[in-house]
Amino acid sequence: RRTAWWVLGGCALVCVVPGLAPAVVAFGVPHRVGPRSATRLGSTAAEVAVPVRSFGGESLGSASIGLRTTKTGKDMYVVHRKYVKERRDARQGTASTKTRAEVRGGGRKPYKQKGTGRARRGSSRSPLIVGGGVAHGPKPKNWANKKMNKKEAELAIAIAIQNKIATRGDGASVVVDSLVGQLEAPPKTKAVVGLMTDLGLDPDANTVMVVDEYDEVLDKSQSNIPKLELRLQDEISVSDMLWAKQLIFSQKAFDYVKDHYG
């Protein structure tokens, strides 16, 4: 007995016709079988060479990096989703206003209904009156409600880092053999400015420095440079990569990025 199966998301009926074998008839809305994902993982971007320098600026060769990307070519779609989520998560959502029901007072009718020649009023706390409530004003809201899979979020960061290194050209991204523990106390801004100059970078350009460990002297030394942001290796965000024009990695942080996002 031959039986034809049609994958559907609806109901099934058994049709019995005299002289014929029972047949299964299915009807409903067709649905896709298997996972449906616009960001299938598995592809790897072409490797890009990044110069490696010492803390004093001496050349130590180069290192290559090739991070994950999407199979379907929808890289910017994933990056945009992650960027929107980061911006929403950064919002406090504490803005609040009072409606006419929440403003103190206004329970008495301000003047009689007729005979005054004025517009009729039932309360002195109407949104149309100074001192009244706010119509359609903001209320506390949880903006951090956008969901994103962990693997998809890591993929977005990997794409952002790879594209930034590949598109900014030689010299815009540098790997330093060691950044933690190199500066001596007390903290001095000119020490970090001198470091960036020795590495061939512009201290006035948007720069993200990625380190493997927290260094208090380094953190305080760079805090007065308006266009320099210090990040730990596990704190890199898509917003940082879109904002930056220059990248500085410590060697250990660079290896972590390759292992974690590669």
Side-chain angles (χ1 to χ4, degrees):
R1 182 173 58 182
R2 293 180 299 175
T3 304
W5 293 95
W6 188 19
V7 180
L8 292 165
C11 303
L13 295 178
V14 178
C15 297
V16 180
V17 181
L20 298 178
V24 178
V25 180
F27 60 91
V29 181
H31 67 273
R32 184 181 299 270
V33 179
R36 180 178 182 178
S37 174
T39 59
R40 298 174 184 173
L41 309 179
S43 297
T44 304
E47 291 193 351
V48 181
V50 182
V52 180
R53 298 182 181 274
S54 66
F55 189 80
E58 299 177 359
S59 177
L60 300 178
S62 63
S64 60
I65 185 172
L67 305 182
R68 293 195 301 266
T69 183
T70 61
K71 285 184 177 179
T72 56
K74 296 187 177 181
D75 292 354
M76 292 303 102
Y77 165 75
V78 184
V79 173
H80 178 261
R81 275 173 47 83
K82 183 65 166 65
Y83 177 77
V84 172
K85 184 179 186 305
E86 290 176 359
R87 302 313 301 162
R88 289 175 66 97
D89 292 348
R91 299 189 65 169
Q92 292 183 344
T94 56
S96 180
T97 55
K98 290 185 178 182
T99 65
R100 61 183 297 165
E102 295 169 335
V103 177
R104 183 174 183 271
R108 179 177 64 86
K109 188 175 178 65
Y111 48 82
K112 64 180 183 178
Q113 181 80 353
K114 294 178 176 293
T116 64
R118 302 179 63 186
R120 51 194 174 188
R121 301 286 186 194
S123 172
S124 59
R125 298 298 182 262
S126 167
L128 305 179
I129 301 176
V130 175
V134 177
H136 311 295
K139 285 293 185 181
K141 176 181 178 180
N142 178 24
W143 289 93
N145 56 3
K146 194 173 184 64
K147 305 298 181 183
M148 192 172 191
N149 294 334
K150 181 179 179 180
K151 288 185 178 180
E152 189 178 10
E154 292 180 351
L155 176 63
I157 297 175
I159 294 171
I161 296 174
Q162 183 71 28
N163 286 359
K164 181 62 64 174
I165 294 176
T167 56
R168 294 304 300 178
D170 295 338
S173 301
V174 181
V175 178
V176 183
D177 58 351
S178 179
L179 289 171
V180 178
Q182 295 293 325
L183 297 180
E184 298 180 355
K188 293 183 180 294
T189 303
K190 65 179 181 181
V192 178
V193 174
L195 169 63
M196 297 181 66
T197 304
D198 294 340
L199 296 176
L201 302 177
D202 183 8
D204 295 327
N206 296 351
T207 307
V208 174
M209 181 182 293
V210 184
V211 296
D212 51 293
E213 295 180 13
Y214 176 75
D215 186 344
E216 184 178 4
V217 178
L218 178 61
D219 185 19
K220 291 183 178 180
S221 298
Q222 64 84 33
S223 60
N224 283 336
I225 302 177
K227 295 188 177 181
L228 176 62
E229 295 292 336
L230 184 65
R231 294 288 184 269
L232 292 177
Q233 58 189 13
D234 56 351
E235 294 178 348
I236 304 175
S237 66
V238 168
S239 302
D240 292 335
M241 294 298 105
L242 296 179
W243 172 82
K245 291 182 171 56
Q246 300 176 146
L247 297 177
I248 305 174
F249 293 92
S250 67
Q251 183 65 60
K252 291 184 179 180
F254 187 77
D255 294 338
Y256 172 86
V257 169
K258 290 178 60 177
D259 294 339
H260 194 71
Y261 300 109

